[in-house]
Every structure is written in C-alpha cells, then in structure tokens.
Amino acid sequence: MKRKVTSFHWISLASLLFVMILFIIKPDAGKTVSRSFFTSSLTMLKILPFTFILVSLFEVWIEKEKVEKHLGKKGGICQFCLGNCSGGNHCGAFDSCFSCGSRPCS
C-alpha cells in the first residue's frame, strides 16, 4: 500500500531541514530552537489527554439544546463567555471548537 505525501509531510521536512541548517550555521541558536520545540511539545502532551477527556464528557453530558440556546443567534453575553473559555490554551481551543462545531446551532 502506497502512502500519499501531504503538505503536512512537506512542512515537517522543511522544519527539520531548517533546524539542521541552523545547527550548522549557528549552533547556539539551533539548541535554543530545539529546546523550545521540545518544551512546547512536552507541555502539549501533558495537557491534551485531559482536554480530550473534558471534551468527551462535554459531548456526553450536555444536551444539544442547551448549547444551541447559549451559542445561537440570541446567545448574548453567554455566547461571548463560552467562546472565550478556552482562550488561554490553544490545544484545548481546537478540541472545544470541534466539539461545538459538530453540534449545529441556529
């Protein structure tokens, strides 16, 4: 079975080449970039499992009508507050957006 090469693969390859070239040209800058990458990756790996659990519980426990009432055309301030709940953590924001997007609102 042959795999299809996507833009994600090209971006990953380009990023890896960039860091390798940076290691050759400026080793201390390459170390800083790689350290920052690994720190961000570890932080994301610590947060994501809990985010998936919370989003799954949200999908099961909260009725579709309640979400429609607060995020529909007449949502008001509740719409703003619920939309900004996951503003501090971008990893969680994508999961909660997917969860809300899968529930059609009027």
Side-chain angles (χ1 to χ4, degrees), residues 8-27:
F8 173 76
H9 292 108
W10 290 113
I11 291 171
S12 300
L13 182 63
S15 300
L16 183 64
L17 285 174
F18 174 74
V19 172
M20 289 173 63
I21 291 171
L22 194 61
F23 261 116
I24 294 170
I25 295 173
K26 292 185 175 182

Side-chain angles (χ1 to χ4, degrees), residues 13-87:
L13 182 63
S15 300
L16 183 64
L17 285 174
F18 174 74
V19 172
M20 289 173 63
I21 291 171
L22 194 61
F23 261 116
I24 294 170
I25 295 173
K26 292 185 175 182
D28 50 335
K31 289 178 185 176
T32 304
V33 168
S34 62
R35 190 177 306 123
S36 175
F37 172 76
F38 285 119
T39 304
S40 299
S41 298
L42 286 175
T43 302
M44 185 177 65
L45 288 174
K46 290 176 187 176
I47 292 171
L48 277 178
F50 300 109
T51 305
F52 286 134
I53 290 170
L54 287 175
V55 169
S56 300
L57 291 174
F58 175 80
E59 290 279 335
V60 173
W61 286 348
I62 299 178
E63 298 90 19
K64 178 178 151 183
E65 292 78 23
K66 192 175 282 191
V67 175
E68 286 178 359
K69 181 176 125 183
H70 293 297
L71 291 179
K73 290 181 182 177
K74 299 177 184 178
I77 193 72
C78 286
Q79 184 178 17
F80 177 76
C81 292
L82 286 173
N84 288 320
C85 280
S86 61

